[in-house]
Structures are given as C-alpha cells and as structure tokens.
Coordinates of all heavy atoms in Angstrom, one line a residue:
M491 N -76.1 -134.0 -101.5 CA -77.5 -134.0 -102.0 C -77.5 -133.3 -103.4 O -76.7 -132.5 -103.6 CB -78.4 -133.4 -101.0 CG -79.9 -133.6 -101.3 SD -80.8 -133.2 -99.8 CE -82.1 -134.3 -99.9
G492 N -78.5 -133.7 -104.2 CA -78.6 -133.1 -105.5 C -79.7 -132.1 -105.6 O -80.3 -131.7 -104.6
T493 N -79.9 -131.7 -106.8 CA -81.0 -130.8 -107.1 C -82.3 -131.5 -106.9 O -82.4 -132.8 -106.9 CB -81.0 -130.3 -108.5 OG1 -81.2 -131.4 -109.4 CG2 -79.6 -129.6 -108.8
P494 N -83.5 -130.8 -106.7 CA -84.7 -131.5 -106.6 C -85.0 -132.4 -107.8 O -85.5 -133.5 -107.6 CB -85.8 -130.4 -106.5 CG -85.0 -129.3 -105.9 CD -83.6 -129.4 -106.4
F495 N -84.7 -132.0 -109.0 CA -84.9 -132.8 -110.2 C -84.1 -134.1 -110.1 O -84.6 -135.2 -110.3 CB -84.5 -132.1 -111.4 CG -84.6 -132.9 -112.7 CD1 -85.8 -133.2 -113.3 CD2 -83.4 -133.5 -113.2 CE1 -85.8 -134.0 -114.4 CE2 -83.5 -134.4 -114.3 CZ -84.7 -134.6 -114.9
S496 N -82.8 -134.0 -109.7 CA -81.9 -135.2 -109.7 C -82.4 -136.2 -108.6 O -82.3 -137.4 -108.7 CB -80.5 -134.9 -109.5 OG -80.2 -134.3 -108.3
V497 N -82.8 -135.6 -107.4 CA -83.3 -136.5 -106.3 C -84.5 -137.2 -106.8 O -84.7 -138.4 -106.6 CB -83.6 -135.6 -105.1 CG1 -84.3 -136.4 -104.0 CG2 -82.3 -135.1 -104.5
G498 N -85.5 -136.5 -107.4 CA -86.7 -137.1 -107.9 C -86.4 -138.1 -109.0 O -87.0 -139.2 -109.0
Y499 N -85.5 -137.8 -109.9 CA -85.2 -138.8 -111.0 C -84.6 -140.0 -110.4 O -84.9 -141.1 -110.8 CB -84.2 -138.1 -112.0 CG -83.8 -139.0 -113.1 CD1 -84.6 -139.1 -114.2 CD2 -82.6 -139.7 -113.1 CE1 -84.3 -139.9 -115.3 CE2 -82.3 -140.6 -114.1 CZ -83.1 -140.6 -115.2 OH -82.7 -141.5 -116.3
T500 N -83.7 -139.9 -109.5 CA -83.0 -141.0 -108.9 C -84.0 -141.9 -108.1 O -84.0 -143.1 -108.2 CB -81.9 -140.6 -107.9 OG1 -80.9 -139.8 -108.6 CG2 -81.2 -141.7 -107.2
F501 N -84.9 -141.3 -107.4 CA -85.9 -142.0 -106.7 C -86.9 -142.7 -107.7 O -87.3 -143.9 -107.5 CB -86.7 -141.1 -105.7 CG -87.7 -141.9 -104.9 CD1 -87.3 -142.9 -104.0 CD2 -89.0 -141.7 -104.9 CE1 -88.2 -143.7 -103.3 CE2 -89.9 -142.4 -104.2 CZ -89.5 -143.4 -103.3
E502 N -87.3 -142.1 -108.7 CA -88.2 -142.7 -109.7 C -87.5 -143.9 -110.3 O -88.1 -145.0 -110.5 CB -88.5 -141.7 -110.8 CG -89.5 -142.2 -111.8 CD -89.9 -141.2 -112.8 OE1 -90.6 -140.2 -112.4 OE2 -89.5 -141.3 -114.0
Y503 N -86.2 -143.8 -110.6 CA -85.4 -145.0 -111.1 C -85.4 -146.1 -110.1 O -85.6 -147.3 -110.4 CB -84.0 -144.5 -111.4 CG -83.1 -145.7 -111.9 CD1 -83.2 -146.0 -113.2 CD2 -82.3 -146.4 -111.0 CE1 -82.4 -147.1 -113.7 CE2 -81.5 -147.4 -111.5 CZ -81.5 -147.8 -112.9 OH -80.8 -148.8 -113.3
R504 N -85.3 -145.8 -108.8 CA -85.3 -146.8 -107.8 C -86.7 -147.5 -107.7 O -86.8 -148.7 -107.6 CB -85.0 -146.2 -106.4 CG -85.0 -147.1 -105.3 CD -84.7 -146.4 -104.0 NE -85.0 -147.2 -102.9 CZ -85.2 -146.8 -101.6 NH1 -85.1 -145.5 -101.4 NH2 -85.5 -147.6 -100.7
V505 N -87.8 -146.8 -107.9 CA -89.1 -147.3 -107.9 C -89.2 -148.2 -109.1 O -89.7 -149.4 -109.0 CB -90.2 -146.2 -107.9 CG1 -91.6 -146.8 -108.1 CG2 -90.1 -145.4 -106.6
R506 N -88.8 -147.8 -110.2 CA -88.8 -148.6 -111.5 C -88.1 -149.9 -111.3 O -88.6 -151.0 -111.7 CB -88.2 -147.8 -112.6 CG -88.3 -148.5 -114.0 CD -87.8 -147.6 -115.1 NE -87.9 -148.3 -116.4 CZ -87.1 -149.2 -116.9 NH1 -86.0 -149.6 -116.2 NH2 -87.3 -149.7 -118.0
Q507 N -86.9 -149.8 -110.7 CA -86.1 -151.1 -110.5 C -86.8 -152.0 -109.5 O -86.8 -153.2 -109.8 CB -84.7 -150.7 -109.9 CG -83.8 -150.0 -110.9 CD -83.7 -150.7 -112.3 OE1 -84.2 -150.3 -113.3 NE2 -83.0 -151.8 -112.2
A508 N -87.5 -151.5 -108.5 CA -88.2 -152.4 -107.6 C -89.4 -153.1 -108.3 O -89.6 -154.3 -108.1 CB -88.8 -151.5 -106.4
L509 N -90.1 -152.4 -109.2 CA -91.2 -153.0 -109.9 C -90.6 -154.0 -110.9 O -91.2 -155.1 -111.0 CB -91.9 -151.9 -110.7 CG -92.8 -151.0 -109.8 CD1 -93.2 -149.8 -110.6 CD2 -94.0 -151.7 -109.3
L510 N -89.5 -153.7 -111.6 CA -88.9 -154.7 -112.5 C -88.5 -156.0 -111.7 O -88.7 -157.1 -112.2 CB -87.7 -154.1 -113.2 CG -88.0 -153.0 -114.2 CD1 -86.7 -152.3 -114.7 CD2 -88.7 -153.6 -115.4
A511 N -88.0 -155.8 -110.6 CA -87.6 -157.0 -109.8 C -88.7 -157.8 -109.4 O -88.6 -159.0 -109.1 CB -86.8 -156.5 -108.5
E512 N -89.9 -157.3 -109.3 CA -91.1 -158.0 -109.0 C -91.9 -158.6 -110.2 O -93.0 -159.0 -110.2 CB -92.1 -157.2 -108.2 CG -91.5 -156.9 -106.8 CD -92.5 -156.2 -105.9 OE1 -93.7 -156.1 -106.2 OE2 -92.1 -155.6 -104.9
G513 N -91.2 -158.4 -111.4 CA -91.7 -159.0 -112.6 C -92.6 -158.1 -113.5 O -93.3 -158.6 -114.4
W514 N -92.7 -156.8 -113.1 CA -93.5 -155.9 -113.9 C -92.8 -155.4 -115.1 O -91.5 -155.3 -115.1 CB -93.9 -154.7 -113.0 CG -94.8 -155.0 -111.9 CD1 -94.5 -155.3 -110.6 CD2 -96.3 -154.9 -111.9 NE1 -95.6 -155.4 -109.9 CE2 -96.7 -155.2 -110.6 CE3 -97.2 -154.7 -112.9 CZ2 -98.0 -155.3 -110.3 CZ3 -98.5 -154.7 -112.6 CH2 -99.0 -155.0 -111.3
V515 N -93.4 -155.1 -116.2 CA -92.9 -154.4 -117.3 C -93.2 -153.0 -117.1 O -94.4 -152.7 -116.8 CB -93.5 -154.9 -118.7 CG1 -93.0 -154.1 -119.8 CG2 -93.2 -156.4 -118.9
V516 N -92.3 -152.1 -117.1 CA -92.5 -150.7 -116.7 C -92.2 -149.7 -117.8 O -91.2 -149.8 -118.5 CB -91.6 -150.4 -115.4 CG1 -91.9 -149.0 -114.9 CG2 -91.8 -151.4 -114.3
F517 N -93.1 -148.8 -118.0 CA -93.0 -147.7 -118.9 C -93.0 -146.4 -118.2 O -93.8 -146.2 -117.3 CB -94.1 -147.7 -120.0 CG -94.2 -148.9 -120.8 CD1 -94.9 -150.0 -120.4 CD2 -93.4 -149.1 -121.9 CE1 -95.0 -151.2 -121.1 CE2 -93.5 -150.2 -122.7 CZ -94.3 -151.3 -122.3
K518 N -92.1 -145.5 -118.6 CA -92.0 -144.2 -117.9 C -92.8 -143.2 -118.7 O -92.7 -143.1 -120.0 CB -90.5 -143.7 -117.9 CG -90.3 -142.4 -117.3 CD -88.8 -142.1 -117.3 CE -88.4 -140.8 -116.7 NZ -89.4 -139.7 -116.6
S519 N -93.6 -142.3 -118.0 CA -94.3 -141.3 -118.7 C -93.3 -140.1 -118.9 O -92.8 -139.6 -117.9 CB -95.5 -140.9 -117.8 OG -96.1 -139.7 -118.3
G520 N -93.1 -139.7 -120.1 CA -92.1 -138.7 -120.4 C -92.5 -137.3 -120.0 O -93.6 -136.9 -120.2
G521 N -91.6 -136.6 -119.5 CA -91.7 -135.1 -119.3 C -92.8 -134.7 -118.3 O -93.2 -133.6 -118.4
S522 N -93.2 -135.6 -117.4 CA -94.2 -135.2 -116.4 C -95.4 -134.6 -117.0 O -96.0 -133.6 -116.5 CB -93.6 -134.3 -115.4 OG -92.5 -134.9 -114.7
R523 N -95.9 -135.1 -118.1 CA -97.1 -134.6 -118.8 C -98.3 -135.3 -118.5 O -99.4 -135.0 -119.0 CB -96.9 -134.6 -120.3 CG -95.6 -133.8 -120.8 CD -96.0 -132.5 -121.4 NE -94.9 -131.9 -122.0 CZ -94.2 -130.9 -121.4 NH1 -94.5 -130.5 -120.2 NH2 -93.2 -130.3 -122.0
S524 N -98.3 -136.3 -117.6 CA -99.5 -137.1 -117.3 C -99.6 -137.2 -115.7 O -98.6 -136.9 -115.0 CB -99.4 -138.5 -117.9 OG -98.6 -139.4 -117.1
P525 N -100.7 -137.6 -115.2 CA -100.9 -137.7 -113.8 C -100.0 -138.8 -113.1 O -99.9 -138.8 -111.9 CB -102.4 -137.9 -113.6 CG -103.0 -137.7 -114.9 CD -101.9 -137.8 -115.9
V526 N -99.5 -139.7 -113.9 CA -98.7 -140.8 -113.4 C -97.3 -140.7 -114.0 O -97.1 -140.3 -115.1 CB -99.3 -142.2 -113.6 CG1 -100.6 -142.3 -112.9 CG2 -99.5 -142.5 -115.1
D527 N -96.3 -141.2 -113.2 CA -94.9 -141.3 -113.6 C -94.6 -142.6 -114.3 O -93.8 -142.6 -115.3 CB -94.0 -141.0 -112.4 CG -94.2 -139.7 -111.8 OD1 -94.1 -138.7 -112.6 OD2 -94.4 -139.6 -110.6
L528 N -95.1 -143.7 -113.8 CA -94.8 -145.0 -114.4 C -96.1 -145.8 -114.6 O -97.1 -145.7 -113.8 CB -94.0 -145.8 -113.4 CG -92.6 -145.1 -112.9 CD1 -92.0 -145.9 -111.8 CD2 -91.7 -145.0 -114.1
V529 N -96.1 -146.6 -115.7 CA -97.2 -147.5 -116.0 C -96.5 -148.9 -115.9 O -95.5 -149.1 -116.7 CB -97.8 -147.2 -117.4 CG1 -98.8 -148.3 -117.7 CG2 -98.4 -145.8 -117.4
A530 N -97.0 -149.8 -115.1 CA -96.5 -151.1 -114.9 C -97.5 -152.1 -115.4 O -98.7 -152.0 -115.0 CB -96.0 -151.3 -113.5
L531 N -97.1 -153.1 -116.1 CA -97.9 -154.2 -116.6 C -97.4 -155.6 -116.2 O -96.2 -155.8 -116.2 CB -98.0 -154.1 -118.1 CG -98.3 -152.8 -118.7 CD1 -98.1 -152.9 -120.3 CD2 -99.7 -152.4 -118.4
K532 N -98.3 -156.4 -115.8 CA -97.9 -157.8 -115.5 C -99.1 -158.7 -115.6 O -100.2 -158.5 -115.0 CB -97.4 -157.9 -114.0 CG -97.0 -159.2 -113.6 CD -96.7 -159.6 -112.2 CE -96.3 -158.5 -111.2 NZ -95.9 -159.1 -109.9
A533 N -99.1 -159.7 -116.5 CA -100.1 -160.8 -116.7 C -101.5 -160.3 -116.4 O -102.1 -160.8 -115.4 CB -99.7 -162.0 -115.8
G534 N -102.0 -159.4 -117.2 CA -103.4 -159.0 -117.0 C -103.6 -157.9 -115.9 O -104.8 -157.6 -115.6
E535 N -102.6 -157.4 -115.4 CA -102.7 -156.4 -114.4 C -102.1 -155.1 -114.9 O -101.1 -155.1 -115.6 CB -101.9 -156.7 -113.1 CG -102.5 -157.9 -112.4 CD -101.6 -158.2 -111.1 OE1 -101.7 -157.4 -110.2 OE2 -100.9 -159.2 -111.2
V536 N -102.7 -154.0 -114.5 CA -102.1 -152.6 -114.8 C -102.0 -151.9 -113.5 O -102.9 -151.9 -112.7 CB -103.1 -151.8 -115.7 CG1 -102.5 -150.4 -116.0 CG2 -103.3 -152.6 -117.0
L537 N -100.8 -151.3 -113.3 CA -100.5 -150.5 -112.1 C -100.0 -149.1 -112.6 O -99.1 -149.0 -113.3 CB -99.5 -151.2 -111.3 CG -99.0 -150.6 -110.0 CD1 -100.2 -150.6 -109.0 CD2 -97.8 -151.3 -109.4
L538 N -100.7 -148.1 -112.1 CA -100.3 -146.7 -112.4 C -99.6 -146.2 -111.2 O -100.2 -146.2 -110.1 CB -101.5 -145.8 -112.8 CG -102.4 -146.3 -114.0 CD1 -103.5 -145.4 -114.2 CD2 -101.5 -146.5 -115.2
V539 N -98.4 -145.6 -111.3 CA -97.6 -145.2 -110.2 C -97.3 -143.8 -110.3 O -96.7 -143.3 -111.3 CB -96.3 -146.1 -110.1 CG1 -95.5 -145.7 -108.9 CG2 -96.6 -147.6 -110.2
Q540 N -97.6 -143.0 -109.2 CA -97.1 -141.6 -109.1 C -96.0 -141.7 -108.1 O -96.1 -142.3 -107.0 CB -98.3 -140.8 -108.6 CG -97.9 -139.3 -108.3 CD -97.3 -138.6 -109.5 OE1 -96.2 -138.8 -109.8 NE2 -98.1 -137.7 -110.0
V541 N -94.9 -141.1 -108.4 CA -93.7 -141.1 -107.6 C -93.5 -139.8 -106.9 O -93.4 -138.8 -107.6 CB -92.4 -141.5 -108.4 CG1 -91.2 -141.5 -107.5 CG2 -92.6 -142.9 -109.0
K542 N -93.4 -139.7 -105.6 CA -93.2 -138.5 -104.9 C -92.2 -138.8 -103.8 O -92.5 -139.6 -102.9 CB -94.5 -137.9 -104.2 CG -95.5 -137.5 -105.2 CD -95.1 -136.1 -105.8 CE -96.3 -135.6 -106.6 NZ -95.9 -134.3 -107.2
V543 N -91.1 -138.2 -103.8 CA -90.1 -138.4 -102.8 C -90.6 -138.2 -101.4 O -90.5 -139.0 -100.5 CB -88.8 -137.5 -103.0 CG1 -87.8 -137.7 -101.8 CG2 -88.1 -137.9 -104.3
D544 N -91.4 -137.1 -101.2 CA -91.9 -136.7 -99.9 C -93.3 -137.3 -99.6 O -93.8 -137.1 -98.5 CB -92.0 -135.2 -99.7 CG -92.8 -134.5 -100.8 OD1 -93.5 -135.2 -101.6 OD2 -92.8 -133.3 -100.8
G545 N -93.9 -137.9 -100.6 CA -95.2 -138.6 -100.4 C -96.4 -137.6 -100.4 O -97.5 -138.0 -100.1
V546 N -96.2 -136.3 -100.8 CA -97.2 -135.3 -100.7 C -97.8 -135.1 -102.1 O -97.1 -134.8 -103.1 CB -96.7 -134.0 -100.2 CG1 -97.7 -132.9 -100.2 CG2 -96.1 -134.2 -98.8
L547 N -99.2 -135.3 -102.2 CA -99.9 -135.1 -103.4 C -100.8 -133.8 -103.2 O -101.4 -133.6 -102.1 CB -100.9 -136.2 -103.7 CG -100.3 -137.5 -104.1 CD1 -101.3 -138.6 -104.2 CD2 -99.6 -137.4 -105.5
S548 N -100.9 -133.0 -104.2 CA -101.8 -131.8 -104.1 C -103.2 -132.4 -104.3 O -103.4 -133.5 -104.7 CB -101.4 -130.9 -105.3 OG -101.9 -131.4 -106.5
P549 N -104.2 -131.6 -103.9 CA -105.6 -132.0 -104.0 C -105.9 -132.3 -105.5 O -106.6 -133.2 -105.8 CB -106.4 -130.8 -103.6 CG -105.5 -130.1 -102.5 CD -104.1 -130.3 -103.1
R550 N -105.3 -131.5 -106.4 CA -105.6 -131.8 -107.9 C -105.0 -133.1 -108.3 O -105.6 -133.9 -109.0 CB -105.0 -130.7 -108.7 CG -105.2 -130.9 -110.2 CD -104.7 -129.8 -111.1 NE -104.9 -130.2 -112.4 CZ -104.9 -129.4 -113.4 NH1 -104.6 -128.2 -113.3 NH2 -105.1 -129.9 -114.7
E551 N -103.7 -133.4 -107.8 CA -103.1 -134.7 -108.2 C -103.9 -135.8 -107.6 O -104.1 -136.8 -108.3 CB -101.7 -134.7 -107.6 CG -100.7 -133.8 -108.3 CD -99.3 -133.7 -107.6 OE1 -99.3 -133.6 -106.4 OE2 -98.3 -133.8 -108.4
R552 N -104.3 -135.7 -106.4 CA -105.1 -136.7 -105.7 C -106.4 -137.0 -106.5 O -106.8 -138.1 -106.8 CB -105.5 -136.3 -104.3 CG -106.0 -137.4 -103.5 CD -106.2 -137.0 -102.0 NE -104.9 -136.6 -101.4 CZ -104.1 -137.5 -100.8 NH1 -104.4 -138.7 -100.8 NH2 -103.0 -137.0 -100.3
G553 N -107.1 -135.9 -107.0 CA -108.3 -136.0 -107.8 C -108.1 -136.7 -109.1 O -108.8 -137.5 -109.6
D554 N -107.0 -136.3 -109.8 CA -106.6 -136.8 -111.1 C -106.4 -138.3 -111.0 O -106.8 -139.1 -111.8 CB -105.4 -136.2 -111.7 CG -105.6 -134.8 -112.1 OD1 -106.8 -134.3 -112.3 OD2 -104.6 -134.1 -112.4
L555 N -105.7 -138.8 -109.9 CA -105.4 -140.2 -109.7 C -106.7 -141.0 -109.4 O -106.9 -142.1 -109.9 CB -104.3 -140.4 -108.6 CG -103.0 -139.9 -109.0 CD1 -102.0 -140.0 -107.8 CD2 -102.4 -140.5 -110.2
A556 N -107.5 -140.4 -108.6 CA -108.8 -141.0 -108.2 C -109.7 -141.2 -109.5 O -110.3 -142.2 -109.7 CB -109.5 -140.2 -107.2
L557 N -109.7 -140.2 -110.3 CA -110.5 -140.3 -111.6 C -109.9 -141.4 -112.5 O -110.7 -142.1 -113.1 CB -110.4 -138.9 -112.3 CG -111.2 -138.8 -113.6 CD1 -112.7 -139.1 -113.3 CD2 -111.0 -137.5 -114.2
L558 N -108.6 -141.4 -112.6 CA -108.0 -142.5 -113.4 C -108.4 -143.9 -112.9 O -108.7 -144.8 -113.7 CB -106.5 -142.4 -113.5 CG -105.9 -141.4 -114.4 CD1 -104.4 -141.3 -114.2 CD2 -106.2 -141.8 -115.9
Q559 N -108.2 -144.0 -111.6 CA -108.5 -145.3 -111.0 C -110.0 -145.7 -111.3 O -110.3 -146.8 -111.6 CB -108.3 -145.3 -109.5 CG -108.5 -146.6 -108.8 CD -108.0 -146.6 -107.4 OE1 -107.6 -145.6 -106.8 NE2 -107.9 -147.7 -106.8
H560 N -110.9 -144.7 -111.1 CA -112.3 -145.0 -111.3 C -112.6 -145.3 -112.8 O -113.3 -146.2 -113.1 CB -113.1 -143.8 -110.8 CG -114.6 -144.0 -111.1 ND1 -115.4 -144.8 -110.4 CD2 -115.4 -143.4 -112.0 CE1 -116.6 -144.7 -110.9 NE2 -116.6 -143.9 -111.9
E561 N -112.1 -144.4 -113.7 CA -112.5 -144.5 -115.1 C -111.9 -145.8 -115.7 O -112.5 -146.4 -116.6 CB -112.0 -143.3 -115.8 CG -112.8 -142.0 -115.5 CD -114.3 -142.1 -116.0 OE1 -114.5 -142.6 -117.0 OE2 -115.1 -141.6 -115.2
L562 N -110.6 -146.1 -115.4 CA -109.9 -147.2 -116.0 C -110.0 -148.5 -115.2 O -109.6 -149.6 -115.8 CB -108.4 -146.9 -116.2 CG -108.1 -145.6 -117.0 CD1 -106.7 -145.3 -117.1 CD2 -108.7 -145.8 -118.5
Q563 N -110.5 -148.4 -114.0 CA -110.7 -149.6 -113.2 C -109.3 -150.4 -113.0 O -109.2 -151.6 -113.2 CB -111.7 -150.6 -113.7 CG -113.1 -150.0 -113.6 CD -113.6 -149.7 -112.2 OE1 -113.7 -150.6 -111.4 NE2 -113.8 -148.4 -111.9
V564 N -108.3 -149.6 -112.7 CA -106.9 -150.1 -112.5 C -106.4 -149.7 -111.1 O -107.0 -148.8 -110.5 CB -105.9 -149.7 -113.6 CG1 -106.4 -150.2 -114.9 CG2 -105.8 -148.2 -113.6
R565 N -105.4 -150.3 -110.7 CA -104.8 -150.0 -109.4 C -103.9 -148.7 -109.6 O -103.1 -148.7 -110.5 CB -104.0 -151.1 -108.9 CG -103.9 -151.2 -107.4 CD -103.5 -152.5 -106.8 NE -102.6 -153.3 -107.7 CZ -101.5 -153.9 -107.2 NH1 -101.2 -153.9 -106.0 NH2 -100.8 -154.6 -108.0
V566 N -104.0 -147.8 -108.7 CA -103.2 -146.6 -108.8 C -102.5 -146.5 -107.4 O -103.2 -146.6 -106.4 CB -104.0 -145.3 -109.0 CG1 -103.2 -144.1 -108.9 CG2 -104.8 -145.4 -110.3
V567 N -101.2 -146.3 -107.4 CA -100.4 -146.2 -106.2 C -99.5 -145.0 -106.1 O -99.1 -144.5 -107.2 CB -99.6 -147.5 -105.9 CG1 -100.5 -148.7 -105.7 CG2 -98.6 -147.8 -106.9
L568 N -99.2 -144.6 -104.9 CA -98.2 -143.6 -104.7 C -97.0 -144.3 -104.1 O -97.1 -145.0 -103.2 CB -98.8 -142.6 -103.7 CG -97.8 -141.5 -103.1 CD1 -97.3 -140.6 -104.2 CD2 -98.4 -140.7 -102.0
A569 N -95.8 -144.0 -104.8 CA -94.6 -144.5 -104.3 C -93.9 -143.4 -103.6 O -93.7 -142.3 -104.2 CB -93.7 -145.1 -105.4
Y570 N -93.4 -143.5 -102.4 CA -92.7 -142.4 -101.7 C -91.6 -143.0 -100.8 O -91.5 -144.2 -100.6 CB -93.7 -141.6 -100.9 CG -94.4 -142.3 -99.8 CD1 -94.0 -142.3 -98.5 CD2 -95.5 -143.1 -100.1 CE1 -94.6 -143.0 -97.5 CE2 -96.1 -143.8 -99.0 CZ -95.7 -143.7 -97.7 OH -96.3 -144.4 -96.7
R571 N -90.9 -142.1 -100.2 CA -89.7 -142.5 -99.4 C -90.0 -142.1 -98.0 O -90.5 -141.0 -97.7 CB -88.5 -141.8 -99.9 CG -87.2 -142.2 -99.4 CD -86.0 -141.6 -100.1 NE -86.0 -140.1 -99.8 CZ -85.2 -139.3 -100.3 NH1 -84.3 -139.7 -101.2 NH2 -85.2 -138.0 -100.0
E572 N -89.8 -143.0 -97.1 CA -89.8 -142.8 -95.7 C -88.5 -143.1 -95.1 O -88.1 -144.3 -94.9 CB -90.9 -143.6 -95.0 CG -91.3 -143.2 -93.6 CD -92.6 -143.9 -93.2 OE1 -93.7 -143.4 -93.5 OE2 -92.4 -144.9 -92.5
G573 N -87.7 -142.1 -94.8 CA -86.3 -142.3 -94.5 C -85.6 -142.8 -95.7 O -85.7 -142.2 -96.8
R574 N -85.0 -144.0 -95.7 CA -84.4 -144.6 -96.8 C -85.3 -145.7 -97.4 O -84.9 -146.3 -98.4 CB -83.0 -145.1 -96.5 CG -82.1 -144.0 -96.1 CD -80.6 -144.4 -95.9 NE -80.0 -144.9 -97.1 CZ -79.5 -144.2 -98.1 NH1 -79.5 -142.8 -97.9 NH2 -78.9 -144.7 -99.1
E575 N -86.4 -145.9 -96.8 CA -87.3 -147.0 -97.2 C -88.3 -146.6 -98.3 O -88.9 -145.5 -98.2 CB -88.0 -147.6 -95.9 CG -88.7 -148.8 -96.2 CD -89.4 -149.4 -94.9 OE1 -89.0 -148.9 -93.8 OE2 -90.2 -150.3 -95.0
L576 N -88.5 -147.5 -99.2 CA -89.5 -147.3 -100.3 C -90.8 -147.7 -99.8 O -91.0 -148.8 -99.2 CB -89.1 -148.0 -101.5 CG -90.1 -148.2 -102.6 CD1 -90.5 -146.8 -103.2 CD2 -89.6 -149.0 -103.8
K577 N -91.9 -146.9 -99.8 CA -93.2 -147.2 -99.4 C -94.2 -147.1 -100.5 O -94.0 -146.3 -101.5 CB -93.7 -146.2 -98.3 CG -92.8 -146.3 -97.0 CD -93.2 -147.5 -96.2 CE -92.6 -147.4 -94.8 NZ -93.2 -148.3 -93.9
W578 N -95.3 -147.8 -100.4 CA -96.3 -147.8 -101.5 C -97.6 -147.3 -100.8 O -98.0 -147.7 -99.8 CB -96.6 -149.2 -102.1 CG -95.3 -149.8 -102.6 CD1 -94.5 -150.6 -102.0 CD2 -94.8 -149.5 -103.9 NE1 -93.4 -150.9 -102.8 CE2 -93.6 -150.3 -104.0 CE3 -95.2 -148.8 -105.0 CZ2 -92.8 -150.3 -105.2 CZ3 -94.4 -148.8 -106.1 CH2 -93.2 -149.5 -106.2

C-alpha cells in the first residue's frame, strides 16, 4: 500500500480514466484548491466530480458541493471505492 496521497492520486486517475472511456473530456483541478477534483464535459453536459477513496465527505464539503450544484445547475457526483469497485 502507498501513502494516503499516492492512494488518492491513483484512485483519482482511475476515476478520470473511467470518465474518458465514457466519452467525457476531463480536466483536473490542480492542487486541491477547489471543492471538486475533476470537471468533465460532454455534448452540452457538465459533471463536477469529487473523488474520495473512502466516500466520506465532511459537512463543509457536502455544503460546498450542494451550493455548486444549485448555483451552476450542473450535476455533482462523488466518486468513491467500495472494495475494488468504483462507485458514483
């Protein structure tokens, strides 16, 4: 097993690859400076993705994501791992 950073980075890469395979164009939010890790675009759709290996969001993170979803009227999802399976 790796460091928490390397585990998170590897999982974020896996989520990005899954989105690319479904035809999304994916941009990474650099340096964890925003409430989302990935921004995915596809033919008039916007998907904001927060990636959490354990699937746990703090109350603040949950509030930030809800505000983004409301203000921007876009889909916001949490990508997490359950065992070895990727969940949305």
